[in-house]
Amino acid sequence: MASEDSQRIVIAGGGIAGLATWRALKQQGIDSLVVERRPVAADGGLAINLPGNAIAALAQLGLAGEIERLGHPVRKREYRAQDDRLLATIDEDAFWGEAMRPRAVRRSDLMAMLGAGLDASAHRADRSIAAVHQDAAAAHIRLDNGEALSATLLVGADGVRSTVRQAVMATSQTSAARLASASWRFMAPNPGVDGWTLWTGKRGMILLLPVDDATVYGWVALDSPDVAFDDLKHLDQVFRDFPERARKALSWALAHPESLYHSPIEEVRLAQWSEGRVVLVGDAAHATAPVWAEGAALAMEDALVLASIVAGTDEVTTIGRRFEQARQVRVAHVQAATDRLSKAARLPYGLRRLIMPFIVPRSYRATYSALKP
Ligand SMILES: Cc1cc2nc3c(=O)[nH]c(=O)nc-3n(C[C@H](O)[C@H](O)[C@H](O)COP(=O)(O)OP(=O)(O)OC[C@H]3O[C@@H](n4cnc5c(N)ncnc54)[C@H](O)[C@@H]3O)c2cc1C
C-alpha cells in the first residue's frame, strides 16, 4: 500500500495487538494512528507468560535485545497434584532453544516496550471509539468526544469485547471458556518456585510463575460459576488443602485483596475476522482461554502478517480475506488444542491425576511443535 495512504490506517485499541500492529506497520514504512480509551496502558493483568513463538514474534518486531532484559526466563514447567505429587515436567529450554526461551514478564513492561517511540502524532490516548460504520470509500469512526475520523483501513485491536467487532460483524458474541468460568490474578513474594508450576486439584487450579528473583505471578482458576468475584472465603476454602508453597502465595494475596484481579474467561470464535475495510486482530478476532498462553503470541503474529499484507497491496478491500487465509489455520490449531486440554482439565480429579503424566507432555509437544516458527 502506498505510504501516502498510510496516515489513514486507524488502529482501535493500544493493547498488545494494537501496539504490535502499529510497530509492524512502522517497520514497513507505514504510519498509523492508535486510538486507545485508557490514558495509560492497563496492567490489570499484572504479568504474562510468553512462550517461544511470542519471543520469536518480538524478535521480528525488532525487540530481541529488549525482551531479554525483561522479566524472568521460564526454563521448565511442573504439573503437580493437589498433594504436591509431580505429575509431569517439561524442559522448555530443550524444546524452544536459547533464541526462543520463554519468559514471564510484567504486562506494563511489555506494553512499554511495544509502545516505545509511539508519539502523540500517532496516538490518541484517553479516547474511546464509540461508533463505526463503513461505505465503499472509507471506514468512518466516531470517538467518544464526538470527533470523527475516517480510515482507508480500520484495524480492530480492541480486545475481547471489541466495539469494532460489534459494529461490523453480524455475529459477535463472546462465549464462556470451557476451561473455567472465573480466575483471579495476583503478584506475591516467591514462596520457593523456580519455574512455571501448576497445581491442579478437585475444585480448582493454581499456577505460580516467577517474574523476577523475588516475585511470583499467580493465577487461580475455579469452575464455580456462582462464586462472586469478591468471595475470598470461598477461594481460601477451595485451596485450603493445597501444598504449602501454593497456600503461602495465595494467602499473601488474600491478605492483600487490593492486589487480586478478577477476570472472567471469555472467548471469541468467529468464521470471519474482516468485513470490507475493517480487519480484526488479537483478542477482538480470536480471544482464547489462556490454556497455552498463546494470546500475546497470536496477537503479535497477527500484527506482523497484517503489516506485510498491507505493505504488499493497493487493494485495501482484499486485505481482510488475505489476512484470514494467512492466519486462520494457526489460530484454529490453538483453539483446538485449548479445547482438548480444557476438556481434560474437567475430568474427575482422580482420573486427571492418573492421565496427566501421559497427556501433558504429548499435548505440549503437539501444541507447540506446530507453532515453532
Ligand atoms: C486470566 C488470563 C490470563 C492470561 N494469560 C496469558 C498469558 O500468560 N500469556 C498470553 O500470551 N496471553 C494470556 N492471556 C491472553 C492475553 O491477555 C490476550 O490474548 C492479549 O492481552 C490480547 O491483546 P489484545 O491487544 O488483542 O487485547 P487487549 O489486551 O484486551 O487490548 C485491547 C485494548 O483496546 C482498548 N479498547 C477497548 N475498547 C476500546 C474502544 N472502544 N476504543 C478505544 N480503545 C479500546 C483497551 O483499553 C485495551 O487497551 C490471558 C488472558 C486472561 C483472561
Side-chain angles (χ1 to χ4, degrees):
M1 189 191 243
S3 83
E4 49 270 29
D5 287 341
S6 59
Q7 290 290 1
R8 314 275 303 276
I9 297 181
V10 172
I11 300 170
I16 297 169
L19 293 179
T21 303
W22 162 78
R23 181 168 280 279
L25 286 168
K26 194 166 148 233
Q27 282 182 320
Q28 301 280 356
I30 300 169
D31 290 333
S32 57
L33 175 71
V34 177
V35 180
E36 166 56 48
R37 68 179 172 192
R38 294 197 169 100
V40 286
D43 69 347
L46 300 172
I48 191 158
N49 180 22
L50 298 173
N53 62 315
I55 303 298
L58 283 163
Q60 268 190 276
L61 288 166
L63 297 167
E66 285 80 349
I67 184 62
E68 271 188 27
R69 290 193 284 277
L70 295 187
H72 203 267
V74 186
R75 295 173 185 275
K76 64 167 181 176
R77 287 189 182 196
E78 287 184 1
Y79 292 79
R80 291 179 173 272
Q82 184 165 335
D83 60 4
D84 219 16
R85 185 173 150 218
L86 187 59
L87 301 175
T89 49
I90 306 282
D91 182 344
E92 296 216 90
D93 250 3
F95 182 85
W96 291 104
E98 201 185 329
M100 286 188 281
R101 177 175 291 146
R103 295 191 86 78
V105 302
R106 288 184 160 77
R107 282 197 188 233
S108 51
D109 289 345
L110 177 66
M111 303 303 289
M113 179 178 68
L114 285 169
L118 179 67
D119 60 29
S121 66
H123 195 203
R124 205 62 64 80
D126 210 5
R127 279 285 154 255
S128 201
I129 289 185
V132 173
H133 74 276
Q134 55 178 327
D135 53 32
H140 305 280
I141 300 142
R142 191 166 48 75
L143 304 186
D144 55 351
N145 62 348
E147 190 183 342
L149 302 172
S150 69
T152 51
L153 180 70
L154 171 61
V155 181
D158 50 345
V160 65
R161 300 221 172 139
S162 168
T163 303
V164 174
R165 185 181 71 236
Q166 281 163 31
V168 300
M169 297 286 168
T171 44
S172 133
Q173 298 302 318
T174 59
S175 53
R178 289 184 193 185
L179 173 70
S181 48
S183 71
W184 288 258
R185 297 183 255 191
F186 59 88
M187 297 290 215
N190 189 339
V193 296
D194 62 353
W196 186 106
T197 311
L198 177 88
W199 288 270
T200 178
K202 288 189 188 104
R203 290 190 292 152
M205 61 183 113
I206 175 163
L207 168 70
L208 297 180
L209 186 57
V211 289
D212 59 37
D213 290 341
T215 317
V216 284
Y217 162 64
W219 182 65
V220 294
L222 290 187
D223 195 32
S224 319
D226 307 330
V227 178
F229 73 89
D230 54 355
D231 187 351
L232 302 186
K233 273 203 189 106
H234 182 87
L235 207 53
D236 191 33
Q237 234 169 26
V238 167
F239 295 97
R240 179 152 295 165
D241 300 331
F242 273 58
E244 199 198 331
R245 290 182 296 168
R247 281 287 324 153
K248 210 167 158 186
L250 182 61
S251 299
W252 192 93
L254 293 172
H256 300 82
E258 71 290 349
S259 73
L260 267 174
Y261 289 83
H262 173 257
S263 357
I265 308 180
E266 295 172 305
E267 297 202 327
V268 175
R269 302 274 170 113
L270 293 174
Q272 203 180 311
W273 304 330
S274 69
E275 188 61 58
R277 294 172 178 276
V278 178
V279 184
L280 304 175
V281 295
D283 273 13
H286 46 66
T288 305
V291 173
W292 295 107
E294 273 297 311
L298 292 181
M300 293 187 288
E301 291 174 1
D302 281 355
L304 287 157
V305 169
L306 181 64
S308 85
I309 294 171
V310 170
T313 185
D314 284 321
E315 293 171 46
V316 179
T317 52
T318 67
I319 290 172
R321 290 289 171 269
R322 291 187 201 197
F323 174 70
E324 286 162 1
Q325 275 163 14
R327 293 294 295 156
Q328 276 177 339
V329 170
R330 199 165 169 89
V331 169
H333 168 76
V334 173
Q335 290 168 335
T338 300
D339 290 348
R340 275 195 299 273
L341 204 66
S342 304
K343 213 167 137 196
R346 300 186 73 124
L347 291 170
Y349 177 59
L351 182 57
R352 227 183 312 141
R353 219 177 110 99
L354 216 61
I355 63 171
M356 275 178 77
F358 308 101
I359 63 161
V360 163
R362 219 172 46 208
S363 6
Y364 184 96
R365 265 195 313 277
T367 300
Y368 287 126
S369 296
L371 296 173
K372 258 189 184 177

